[in-house]
Amino acid sequence: MGPTASGKSSVALEIARHFPVEIVSVDSAQVYRHMNIGTAKPDAKTMAAVPHHLINLIEPHERYSAARFLGDALATMREITQRGNIPLLVGGTMLYFRALTKGLSELPSADADIRMAIETRAEANGWPALHKELWRLDPASAARIQPTDSQRIQRALEVCYLTDMPMSEILKKPRHVCLPYRVTGITLIPAERDVLHQRIAHRFDEMLKMGLIDEVRAIRDKFCLEDESPSMRCVGYRQVWMYLNGEVGLAKMYEMALAATRQLAKRQLTWLRPMKEVKEFDCLAETLSEQVRKYLLETGLHAR
């Protein structure tokens, strides 16, 4: 695990050189087909050299959830172990990691009629108005959801209407976990945040050179998407989408994308730092791969 641009993929490939692993992506953006550049998705050569899973599962207009990830991941991990290999989970979507290791709360399934009613009211009054209603029904959820985050406002209100309970209260209930594996957790944490920010800027520069804007334009032309489509809310894609819509200029798009990516890294680090059951490594260390390999040997993992 680690924040964006911490070098997770490179370390994972190095691990695969020494241990019998198959990589399971824990990335909510890499599940989308056609979104290759902005998600830093491994190329065809890399995926041919080392088996990768849970990549390119759905189209950009479709939705993916933590619950679906949980089912997909457990099924994939079972298949990997049946082949005599070890599942190596790699990514930065901390909600997915938590679903796998801590379980999911028993929230009700989506209700199309209630969602339509909420959307109709939002069209008439705006999402900030519905956010005010959420403050009345579920203050704890409203406090962590932005007034413009339509997807999360809608889900929180939907749960309130279906259960007559605040979603925040349901999330407090004990979760049932059945993970039949011994977990060895590794986090990549930068000793210097400024250096990570430099990496983020360099990587976004490379993405633009590789054709990120054209990638988003092609997706925009091919699929029926909206501003709030989950795929276009991914960091980088959202800002390029706004640029293509004429909402911001090129320089502003670049500035906003870097700021959003740095914020993403900050949120990921906030998730990671309290974790006590994982081994932390400095992702900026020159000998990072060697340190990780040595640690895995010490944990009893057998090399090839």
Side-chain angles (χ1 to χ4, degrees):
M1 299 174 285
T4 185
S6 60
K8 297 181 295 294
S9 297
S10 297
V11 173
L13 292 175
E14 185 63 22
I15 290 173
R17 289 184 59 232
H18 300 282
F19 300 95
V21 302
E22 297 184 30
I23 294 175
V24 181
S25 171
V26 187
D27 189 306
S28 60
Q30 290 188 355
V31 299
Y32 293 107
R33 302 185 191 102
H34 313 288
M35 292 172 56
N36 304 320
I37 298 172
T39 64
K41 196 177 291 180
D43 58 24
K45 182 179 178 181
T46 300
M47 289 198 282
V50 180
H52 284 67
H53 305 275
L54 304 194
I55 293 176
N56 295 329
L57 301 179
I58 61 175
E59 301 292 351
H61 66 281
E62 297 176 315
R63 292 174 179 266
Y64 197 76
S65 66
R68 180 172 171 184
F69 167 80
L70 180 58
D72 289 347
L74 288 173
T76 300
M77 293 165 74
R78 182 172 60 250
E79 293 167 0
I80 292 171
T81 56
Q82 288 173 348
R83 288 191 286 269
N85 292 327
I86 302 167
L88 173 58
L89 289 96
V90 182
T93 301
M94 302 307 157
L95 177 62
Y96 288 5
F97 275 117
R98 186 176 71 175
L100 190 62
T101 59
K102 305 295 185 183
L104 286 170
S105 299
E106 295 183 2
L107 294 172
S109 300
D111 185 291
D113 292 336
I114 289 179
R115 290 198 165 192
M116 184 178 296
I118 293 172
E119 289 172 0
T120 300
R121 290 171 57 201
E123 290 177 4
N125 305 312
W127 286 105
L130 292 182
H131 187 261
K132 288 182 179 179
E133 180 177 348
L134 185 60
W135 266 111
R136 180 176 61 82
L137 298 173
D138 186 356
S141 292
R144 63 178 178 79
I145 298 175
Q146 295 295 319
T148 55
D149 193 337
S150 59
Q151 185 179 5
R152 289 182 173 84
I153 293 171
Q154 182 187 58
R155 179 55 174 160
L157 286 174
E158 177 186 41
V159 170
C160 288
Y161 298 154
L162 288 171
T163 65
D164 288 326
M165 288 181 63
M167 186 171 72
S168 56
E169 290 300 315
I170 298 175
L171 292 174
K172 291 179 182 177
K173 293 182 178 180
R175 301 168 181 177
H176 303 287
V177 185
C178 183
L179 187 63
Y181 301 94
R182 177 172 65 88
V183 177
T184 300
I186 293 173
T187 59
L188 306 183
I189 306 292
E192 299 179 58
R193 191 79 62 90
D194 289 345
V195 178
L196 182 68
H197 290 174
Q198 292 171 17
R199 282 190 178 186
I200 288 171
H202 175 73
R203 189 171 73 164
F204 191 65
D205 288 342
E206 291 301 309
M207 289 176 175
L208 290 175
K209 291 177 183 177
M210 292 169 65
L212 176 59
I213 293 176
D214 288 338
E215 179 176 89
V216 180
R217 182 182 289 113
I219 293 170
R220 185 170 172 259
D221 292 344
K222 184 174 182 179
F223 297 95
C224 183
L225 300 173
E226 300 175 349
D227 291 356
E228 294 302 318
S229 295
S231 62
M232 290 300 107
R233 294 178 70 247
C234 295
V235 168
Y237 287 89
R238 184 175 186 83
Q239 291 73 35
V240 173
W241 175 275
M242 293 173 68
Y243 166 69
L244 292 175
N245 282 349
E247 299 174 47
V248 296
L250 185 61
K252 184 64 174 178
M253 178 275 287
Y254 181 84
E255 176 187 327
M256 291 174 63
L258 291 189
T261 311
R262 289 194 294 265
Q263 280 297 114
L264 171 62
K266 182 179 179 180
R267 291 195 300 273
Q268 290 168 319
L269 288 168
T270 299
W271 276 78
L272 290 168
R273 289 201 180 280
M275 292 185 178
K276 304 299 183 184
E277 69 278 14
V278 298
K279 177 69 173 178
E280 181 179 315
F281 292 90
D282 177 11
C283 67
L284 307 178
E286 292 184 4
T287 58
L288 173 61
S289 293
E290 179 59 28
Q291 291 178 33
V292 171
R293 186 176 73 86
K294 182 179 178 181
Y295 170 70
L296 291 176
L297 289 170
E298 291 172 350
T299 64
L301 200 62
H302 298 292
R304 291 186 185 277

